[in-house]
Amino acid sequence: MNIPLRAIRRATLDDLPALIPLWQLEQLPVLELEKRFKEFQVAEGEDGSLIGVVGVQVQGLEARLHSEVFSPFEYADALRGKFWERIRVMGENQGWVRVWTQLHAEAWRGCGFDPAPLEQLAKLPDSFGHSGNGTWYVVQLKEERVGSPSLDAEFQMLKMSYQAENDQLMKRARKLRLLAMGFAAAVTVWVLIWGYKLFQNRDAWMRR
């Protein structure tokens, strides 16, 4: 099928007026999705209109596809393939381990989504939903590194390292400030001493 597709890109604030009626078309929770519009990838038609949207929620190294809408619907399957090309590249660039979905269209099965076995369902992030709530499909993008720290742990380590570096800089700044204050005080004392001496000897200097 020849799709009048200009680009697939991340949604921006300017897309909200077009996103809202699309979400309403599928009776999706508009108020909730409106707050999360940055999660969405949009397919922009040649005329600038949005002909498809897919939500991509990311939690650590896991991602979930959700809330898809296509208008007109005849483009749906072809656009799903286009969306997946972009989303897979996103996952490779960001180091995702798995991509989950409960979207049940057969086109997603063609993209590699298979029903998740029990051992994988145990790794489903809580923020995505409950593993017993409907069928979950998953694509494994890469093998997990056994024993590797989680993204949250890595973030905490980075935060601690930054805090330690910041504390050292603050200590150095305090030392420099104390040295500057000491130097200023010494100069002030020196000026006062010499001023007092000059005041005491002013008559002798005037006679010269």
Side-chain angles (χ1 to χ4, degrees):
M1 178 183 292
N2 185 24
I3 308 174
L5 179 64
R6 177 186 296 173
I8 292 181
R9 55 175 175 78
R10 184 179 180 180
T12 68
L13 186 60
D14 292 337
D15 293 317
L16 266 180
L19 284 169
I20 290 173
L22 287 175
W23 292 330
Q24 291 173 334
L25 183 67
E26 291 294 326
Q27 299 182 341
L28 296 171
V30 174
L31 293 179
E32 176 187 345
L33 297 181
E34 189 175 0
K35 299 173 184 176
R36 299 163 54 187
F37 74 91
K38 290 183 180 179
E39 287 184 8
F40 282 82
Q41 298 292 313
V42 300
E44 184 179 357
E46 291 177 348
D47 61 356
S49 63
L50 300 188
I51 57 177
V53 300
V54 175
V56 185
Q57 180 185 4
V58 180
Q59 176 66 50
L61 299 180
E62 312 275 346
R64 175 178 75 105
L65 307 188
H66 66 92
S67 307
E68 64 175 9
V69 187
F70 302 97
S71 180
F73 190 75
E74 63 191 75
Y75 297 150
D77 284 347
L79 283 175
R80 287 182 180 112
K82 297 293 185 181
F83 273 116
W84 179 241
E85 290 175 9
R86 175 174 169 80
I87 292 167
R88 190 179 186 94
V89 171
M90 288 168 56
E92 291 172 354
N93 291 340
Q94 298 178 34
W96 299 346
V97 174
R98 280 172 290 269
V99 181
W100 303 82
T101 193
Q102 287 190 300
L103 300 175
H104 51 75
E106 189 62 30
W108 292 118
R109 310 290 86 74
C111 293
F113 284 87
D114 293 317
L118 289 176
E119 60 270 19
Q120 281 190 316
L121 281 174
K123 300 175 181 179
L124 178 71
D126 292 339
S127 60
F128 290 177
H130 193 274
S131 60
N133 184 19
T135 303
W136 282 94
Y137 302 91
V138 66
V139 171
Q140 184 95 17
L141 293 182
K142 70 173 186 177
E143 295 299 321
E144 292 181 275
R145 293 178 296 169
V146 178
S148 63
S150 67
L151 191 63
D152 289 340
E154 291 178 356
F155 175 75
Q156 290 300 324
M157 290 170 64
L158 181 63
K159 184 178 179 181
M160 290 172 64
S161 174
Y162 172 80
Q163 186 63 46
E165 183 178 350
N166 189 53
D167 289 343
Q168 289 182 352
L169 290 174
M170 291 297 292
K171 287 179 181 179
R172 290 177 185 174
R174 283 194 292 269
K175 288 180 180 179
L176 289 173
R177 187 164 58 249
L178 288 173
L179 287 173
M181 291 173 64
F183 178 76
V187 170
T188 301
V189 170
W190 182 83
V191 169
L192 290 173
I193 290 173
W194 278 99
Y196 179 72
K197 287 183 178 181
L198 288 172
F199 178 78
Q200 283 185 322
N201 298 317
R202 68 185 186 285
D203 293 338
W205 284 98
M206 291 176 66
R207 285 194 294 272
R208 292 179 182 180

